[in-house]
Amino acid sequence: MDPTLNDQEPESTPPADQNFNDPGEEPILEPTDALPEVTLECLPPTIRDAATRAGWTKLMDVQAKAIPYILARRDLMIQSKTGSGKTGAYLLPILGRLDPRKAACQAMILVPTRELALQVSREALLLSADSGIRTAVAYGGVGYHAQLEAFREGAQLVIGTPGRILDHLIRGSLSLKALSILVFDEADRMLSMGFYPDMKRIQEFIPREINAYLLSATFPSHVLRLAGEFLRKPELLSLSRDQIHVTETEHVYYLVPGMGKERSLVRIIEAENPVSAIIFCNTKATVHFVSVVLKRFGYDADELSSELSQKAREKVMARIRSGLLRFLVATDVAARGIDIPDLSHVIQYEPPEDPEAYIHRAGRTGRKGASGVAISLVAGMEQFRLRDIAKSFSIDIQERSLPKDEEVETTVSQRVIALLEAKMRMRDRLQVEHMQRFIPLVKSLLQNEEEMDLIAMLVDDFYMATLNTPPPQPPEVQKSSVSAGGPDAASGAKKKRRHRKSSRSMAGSRSDSGESTGETEGD
């Protein structure tokens, strides 16, 4: 059995009293009408039988806490680390709610990648064995025959990537008229890969009265907005700490080579694909260097330091206020007074000299009920400085392995395919007919290895264009309404949404006072 489903290893948890949000903000609390957690022995016989088939002896924390909400048909957002058992937390109660006598799709699980679709389908088959429930899995990059056959046989549980699911819905080979349960697994990754337009089109096929569940490692603002569009009065459940709450910043660091640190930064950006980020450097010279590198790699980046002329600073600030800048590279002094509410990531290109500066940097993300990620790049002795900072402030900071070239290639390839498929679906019949004239040319290029670079160049140009004009994200909702147990939670602010042109939204500075502080930056 896959260890991610029911790994009994305990998780390490950061201190519950550490919170990097503004002191004046109200904390997210556990729902006032919270349901008590359950044990395996208390569950209905059908669910107990499924657990027995999987060899379970007890429920993991996320399962014990989440299952009662799903059985009670209450929409839920679940934040829990990989390997915590969250796949089983939704599969078990969903399988208990399906009717094997009804040959129609009753539950659908959307996932970002083929690999996750296969993993979830394997666990579903293990748990549903001998129950009469049929599972279908649908993802791109393979033929349609097996998927069509599974739909024709009346699969009650459908698992797939948004793009391929949408293809079947448009073709009419999949019907969601009997759907009652919808799950978004790894919602943050789905948005990162550009699936939002597909998810919105899928919504047109979904019945009005369903239960929806959203799982995500983090809950940045754009994920909360997605919940506001698909979930009804969702409640928040987080198991990233000892107590249930969601307002937090995830702290991670990458140990990178001292030489070529800028290339490690690009690799991390490609893997993480932040919606928006401030990249902090300690000196003006490093700010300029990093900004130039990012621009040369094709990223939408700009710099802010005291060395810039007033006109240049105003130009950068205008881009920030209009939400047109994705990456801001800055020193601590230059970034003072700039508030970016939708900031998903803070990246520290180098640890700060002053330990308290780490708190101020990290506190730029994870605001107003949303979570964020604070990433540090450390080389050589810098890791010891970062560990001292973490120890001083009781921060649980996790090490991540620097993504390998093959991992980055796989991630980017999956993202490109998803974006290309979405673009293809937007073409009408005449446009599809018109492009057929290039198929002989494409076949010719594919047969000539020396001309592969031409295709690679076209794909790279398309991908970099999407980075500078990213696919739309969920429109803004009142993030202040997202509180666990609140009457409207994430969806209560739908009436006050306003659409933005770009998903990489970096809202305008409330005030740029304090930028001219008289302090000097390091050289």
Side-chain angles (χ1 to χ4, degrees), residues 102-108 136 147-148 150-158 164-181 202 204-207 210:
K102 189 174 183 179
C105 175
Q106 302 166 44
M108 182 168 67
Q147 299 170 14
L148 293 171
F151 295 149
R152 279 194 292 265
E153 291 176 356
Q156 290 89 6
L157 176 63
V158 173
R164 181 54 65 96
I165 291 293
L166 181 58
D167 281 342
H168 283 293
L169 291 172
I170 293 173
R171 289 165 174 249
S173 52
L174 173 63
S175 171
L176 301 182
K177 291 181 180 178
L179 189 75
S180 60
I181 303 170
I202 289 172
E204 298 172 10
F205 297 86
I206 295 174
I210 66 166

Side-chain angles (χ1 to χ4, degrees), residues 42 139 167 184 221 243 259 269 298 336 343 431 498:
C42 298
Y139 48 81
D167 281 342
F184 300 95
S221 56
Q243 299 178 359
M259 297 294 292
I269 286 175
R336 287 184 183 177
L343 197 67
Q431 288 176 314
R498 55 187 179 85

Side-chain angles (χ1 to χ4, degrees), residues 75-209:
D75 287 14
L76 189 68
M77 298 186 291
I78 304 172
Q79 180 182 19
S80 187
K81 296 178 182 177
T82 300
S84 62
K86 61 179 181 292
T87 307
Y90 65 76
L91 274 181
L92 265 183
I94 285 175
L95 292 171
R97 288 175 53 181
L98 299 181
D99 183 358
R101 297 166 298 179
K102 189 174 183 179
C105 175
Q106 302 166 44
M108 182 168 67
I109 301 169
L110 295 177
V111 298
T113 65
R114 166 183 177 170
E115 290 74 22
L116 185 55
L118 289 170
Q119 176 190 315
V120 174
S121 66
R122 284 194 298 265
E123 305 304 347
L125 290 171
L126 176 67
L127 292 168
S128 64
D130 302 324
S131 67
I133 294 172
R134 292 180 292 275
T135 298
V137 59
Y139 48 81
V142 296
Y144 285 80
H145 178 74
Q147 299 170 14
L148 293 171
E149 189 64 26
F151 295 149
R152 279 194 292 265
E153 291 176 356
Q156 290 89 6
L157 176 63
V158 173
I159 303 160
T161 54
R164 181 54 65 96
I165 291 293
L166 181 58
D167 281 342
H168 283 293
L169 291 172
I170 293 173
R171 289 165 174 249
S173 52
L174 173 63
S175 171
L176 301 182
K177 291 181 180 178
L179 189 75
S180 60
I181 303 170
L182 176 64
V183 176
F184 300 95
D185 198 351
E186 298 197 5
D188 50 349
R189 288 186 66 195
M190 275 195 282
L191 293 178
S192 168
M193 292 180 68
F195 277 127
Y196 176 68
D198 288 345
M199 294 157 78
K200 286 301 294 179
R201 290 190 68 188
I202 289 172
Q203 191 176 33
E204 298 172 10
F205 297 86
I206 295 174
R208 184 177 298 274
E209 298 298 326

Side-chain angles (χ1 to χ4, degrees), residues 388-408:
D388 288 342
I389 292 172
K391 186 177 180 180
S392 298
F393 295 99
S394 300
I395 300 170
D396 179 42
I397 184 166
Q398 302 293 324
E399 181 179 2
R400 287 185 187 171
S401 300
L402 188 65
K404 297 179 181 178
D405 289 338
E406 299 79 14
E407 295 171 335
V408 173

Side-chain angles (χ1 to χ4, degrees), residues 350-388:
E350 49 200 347
E353 299 293 343
D354 178 10
E356 290 206 5
Y358 180 95
I359 301 299
H360 293 297
R361 290 177 176 183
R364 298 301 186 103
T365 185
R367 292 170 177 254
K368 294 183 175 63
S371 62
V373 182
I375 295 174
S376 299
L377 279 66
V378 293
M381 299 299 290
E382 289 178 341
Q383 62 181 304
F384 300 108
R385 191 196 319 164
L386 184 64
R387 288 174 185 171
D388 288 342

